[in-house]
Amino acid sequence: MEKTPKFDGSLTVRAATPADCGTIHRFILELAAFEKMTDEVVATEAGLYDTLFVQKQAEVIMGECQGEVVAVALYFNHYSTFYGRAYIYLEDLIVKAEHRHRGFGREMFRHLARLSVARGSERMDWMCLDWNRNAIDFYTGIGARPLADWTVF
């Protein structure tokens, strides 16, 4: 396995603003193309504006390097009855292909982990397609572990 390079500090992470809806939409389309699911995307910029900034159903952070958005993460609160508290559910983390292996994904996760702890939870959940070996290797490489005994429906 290729060694993950050390993060060089060149990523700035910030909360998305309404002006970012077009960029968020482009990242979603890029992810859908990678997953060969572009025909399933019905999200629009206007819909993202409404659900993210009017209804506040989810949140987005943007990772920027030298003024360019190179990573986007969309997440929302999930609730565990067993833990009795909310935690972050990461819907998507997308790093532009040409900017991978620079530590940007790892830094986005660090940001979300700090946010999760600040909100009173030390847990984050997400799903990964079982064929996406690069993502699985990345997640296990940052110390994540898959949940056993669950079938997702």
Side-chain angles (χ1 to χ4, degrees), residues 50-100:
D50 182 54
T51 57
L52 296 175
F53 299 103
V54 176
Q55 297 182 46
K56 301 183 189 275
Q57 293 178 352
E59 299 174 71
V60 178
I61 56 172
M62 314 293 282
E64 294 181 339
C65 178
Q66 299 176 339
E68 176 189 0
V69 177
V70 298
V72 169
L74 187 142
Y75 59 97
F76 52 90
N77 283 332
H78 215 246
Y79 192 85
S80 169
T81 54
F82 284 16
Y83 290 111
R85 66 179 61 165
Y87 59 92
I88 288 177
Y89 182 86
L90 176 62
E91 178 66 21
D92 290 313
L93 170 63
I94 311 155
V95 178
K96 282 186 175 181
E98 64 269 24
H99 292 285
R100 292 181 187 148

Side-chain angles (χ1 to χ4, degrees), residues 18-153:
D20 292 312
C21 287
T23 301
I24 296 166
H25 190 253
R26 284 189 296 279
F27 270 79
I28 291 168
L29 293 174
E30 184 176 322
L31 175 64
F34 171 76
E35 293 179 347
K36 297 175 180 42
M37 299 173 73
T38 52
D39 58 330
E40 294 186 33
V41 176
V42 296
T44 64
E45 289 181 41
L48 291 170
Y49 174 82
D50 182 54
T51 57
L52 296 175
F53 299 103
V54 176
Q55 297 182 46
K56 301 183 189 275
Q57 293 178 352
E59 299 174 71
V60 178
I61 56 172
M62 314 293 282
E64 294 181 339
C65 178
Q66 299 176 339
E68 176 189 0
V69 177
V70 298
V72 169
L74 187 142
Y75 59 97
F76 52 90
N77 283 332
H78 215 246
Y79 192 85
S80 169
T81 54
F82 284 16
Y83 290 111
R85 66 179 61 165
Y87 59 92
I88 288 177
Y89 182 86
L90 176 62
E91 178 66 21
D92 290 313
L93 170 63
I94 311 155
V95 178
K96 282 186 175 181
E98 64 269 24
H99 292 285
R100 292 181 187 148
H101 308 290
R102 294 181 59 190
F104 295 155
R106 182 179 294 264
E107 187 59 22
M108 296 288 280
F109 260 93
R110 279 191 185 113
H111 183 90
L112 290 170
R114 287 189 297 266
L115 182 60
S116 185
V117 170
R119 291 181 177 183
S121 178
E122 296 183 16
R123 173 181 170 176
M124 289 189 334
D125 285 354
W126 64 92
M127 283 190 251
C128 180
L129 292 168
D130 60 4
W131 57 260
N132 192 342
R133 190 76 242 161
N134 287 335
I136 292 168
D137 290 345
F138 169 74
Y139 296 139
T140 57
I142 63 170
R145 52 188 164 72
L147 294 176
D149 301 326
W150 291 93
T151 300
V152 178
F153 289 92

